[in-house]
Amino acid sequence: IKSGSIALASFGAMTAAPSFLRRALAEAIDKTGRRKTLIAIFQRGAVDGLNMVVPFGESAYYDLRPNIAIAKPNGSAEAAINLDGFFGLHPSMASFKSLWDSKRLAIVHASGSPDNTRSHFDAQDYMESGTPGVKSTRDGWLNRYMQAKADPQKTLFRAVSMTQQMPRAMQGRAPAIAMSNLAEFRIRAGQTSASVQGGFEEIYDQAVNDTLHGTGKETFEAINYLKQVNPAQYKPENGANYPANGFGNALRQTAQLIKAGVGLEVAFTEVGGWDTHVNQGNQQGQLSNLLRNFSSAIAALHTDLGQRMDDVVILSMSEFGRTVRENGNRGTDHGHANAMFVLGNSVRGGKV
């Protein structure tokens, strides 16, 4: 990723920002005045990568999926969206086509863990720890990145997961927080959980051994600053329209944190429901609905951030793929390799 952008105008009045933010901005912006951010998205449940990114140029795909295969591109809205003459997007992912055409979307197909487990729990653990087959790894790959790259300003919002619980990928020695909803300011750091509306000082008093301990007054300032940002009044830019659901809201709030300039470097969120053993559907149905929500939310985030996407990369992943052959319930069972999406203005995309 190139270094990422922070426009001071996007903060509102900087004079109202707490002292730790002003210091962080002075130190954490490089010579180009830009900052970089990685947004990792986990599709929990093992998405069917072969119906998400369709190998319509492979005849065996149709032989093994007589009921759930996606039709070859034929100009209709019910067929695969042609990408390169061999691969195509599921028709419900039309919002990704312009990103592909402008080479801001790349696809990494047949990717995943070399471990042969078909256990969701183990596979997610291996994917998020980055150590296939090894359960003893104590930290996640995103946390190890933060450990390896010093953060002298100890920015509270350097690593934020928009989830109920801290994901495995962000667990470790480097500080990270999980925030389920900016509007409610419900924050989880380490094993501590409480509502900021009920008094952030209470969290601090209980946090002797967790990541909040030692931040003191600056932590309180950070929460007060986020309150001033007023998540309920946030208006997406450039005509972006996020889906009105949990995943859409998580990405919407991620965009808000990036624009607020709170030092966000690593963000994480997740979306579930991908374990389609029964009645998966083809161009319509269960998987189609999931993919429409997934792609439209990510496209909205990309649109909302606009030029800021010069310095943001979005990366999606799932724990494993699904069987090439459909099962007797018109679904797919646990398989192995899958497809990952990489999006951003600095991505050399337009290819699988």
Side-chain angles (χ1 to χ4, degrees):
I1 322 173
K2 295 180 181 178
S3 52
S5 174
I6 294 182
L8 294 184
S10 69
F11 291 63
M14 272 305 295
T15 55
S19 59
F20 88 96
L21 272 179
R22 293 196 295 272
R23 291 200 306 274
L25 288 170
E27 298 291 335
I29 300 175
D30 66 17
K31 293 180 181 180
T32 65
R34 299 151 77 97
R35 181 190 298 276
K36 56 189 177 182
T37 304
L38 171 67
I39 302 171
I41 300 171
F42 207 113
Q43 294 172 275
R44 297 203 186 277
V47 62
D48 180 14
L50 293 176
N51 271 19
M52 182 170 68
V53 182
V54 183
F56 65 82
E58 174 57 68
S59 60
Y61 167 76
Y62 293 97
D63 294 339
L64 296 170
R65 296 189 169 200
N67 297 296
I68 66 169
I70 307 300
K72 294 182 179 182
N74 57 23
S76 80
E78 299 290 297
I81 301 167
N82 184 30
L83 296 178
D84 60 4
F86 187 91
F87 289 106
L89 288 172
H90 190 285
S92 67
M93 303 183 75
S95 57
F96 271 13
K97 184 60 162 60
S98 63
L99 296 170
W100 172 269
D101 290 341
S102 59
K103 299 188 185 305
R104 290 174 289 177
L105 166 65
I107 298 168
V108 187
H109 221 323
S111 61
S113 169
D115 188 87
N116 65 3
T117 183
R118 299 198 185 196
S119 158
H120 290 292
F121 179 83
D122 288 346
Q124 289 180 28
D125 185 84
Y126 297 153
M127 182 70 75
E128 292 189 77
S129 68
T131 56
V134 180
K135 292 188 178 183
S136 58
T137 306
R138 303 182 71 175
D139 47 17
W141 70 275
L142 287 171
N143 196 279
R144 287 202 300 278
Y145 159 75
M146 292 184 289
Q147 293 173 37
K149 184 174 182 288
D151 178 28
Q153 298 304 311
K154 301 189 184 304
T155 308
L156 180 66
F157 299 105
R158 183 190 184 198
V160 176
S161 179
M162 297 304 305
T163 54
Q164 291 286 336
Q165 304 292 335
M166 189 69 72
R168 179 75 168 87
M170 291 179 71
Q171 293 177 11
R173 296 193 309 274
I177 58 177
M179 308 175 69
S180 58
N181 194 326
L182 283 177
E184 297 174 357
F185 297 105
R186 188 167 181 81
I187 293 180
R188 288 176 169 82
Q191 301 301 313
T192 301
S193 172
S195 172
V196 174
Q197 289 176 331
F200 192 79
E201 290 81 358
E202 182 180 349
I203 299 179
Y204 179 71
D205 289 342
Q206 297 173 354
V208 175
N209 295 313
D210 71 15
T211 57
L212 294 181
H213 181 58
T215 59
K217 184 172 180 291
E218 293 184 351
T219 298
F220 305 146
E221 287 181 337
I223 299 304
N224 288 331
Y225 181 65
L226 280 184
K227 287 180 180 178
Q228 293 172 23
V229 171
N230 195 351
Q233 298 300 315
Y234 177 69
K235 290 182 172 32
E237 297 180 75
N238 308 312
N241 185 21
Y242 291 92
N245 53 41
F247 182 58
N249 192 46
L251 294 188
R252 184 175 182 270
Q253 293 180 99
T254 300
Q256 185 174 6
L257 284 173
I258 290 173
K259 293 180 186 181
V262 294
L264 183 66
E265 187 173 345
V266 175
F268 181 97
T269 194
E270 60 195 19
V271 57
W274 304 100
D275 199 16
T276 50
H277 288 279
V278 179
N279 294 327
Q280 177 174 305
N282 40 31
Q283 68 271 13
Q284 295 180 347
Q286 180 184 179
L287 182 64
S288 175
N289 293 335
L290 289 165
L291 289 174
R292 183 177 296 105
N293 172 56
F294 173 77
S295 58
S296 61
I298 293 174
L301 173 64
H302 197 288
T303 299
D304 188 8
L305 291 177
Q307 199 62 41
R308 294 177 181 87
M309 284 301 303
D310 287 353
D311 310 298
V312 176
V313 165
I314 303 168
L315 174 69
S316 73
M317 65 201 73
S318 194
E319 64 262 37
F320 46 65
R322 308 196 73 82
T323 51
V324 181
R325 186 186 300 276
E326 67 178 68
N327 63 27
N329 296 313
R330 299 197 173 191
T332 49
D333 297 320
H334 297 174
H336 293 297
N338 215 319
M340 303 172 76
F341 293 108
V342 191
L343 300 92
N345 292 352
S346 60
V347 169
R348 288 177 289 183
K351 56 187 175 183
V352 181

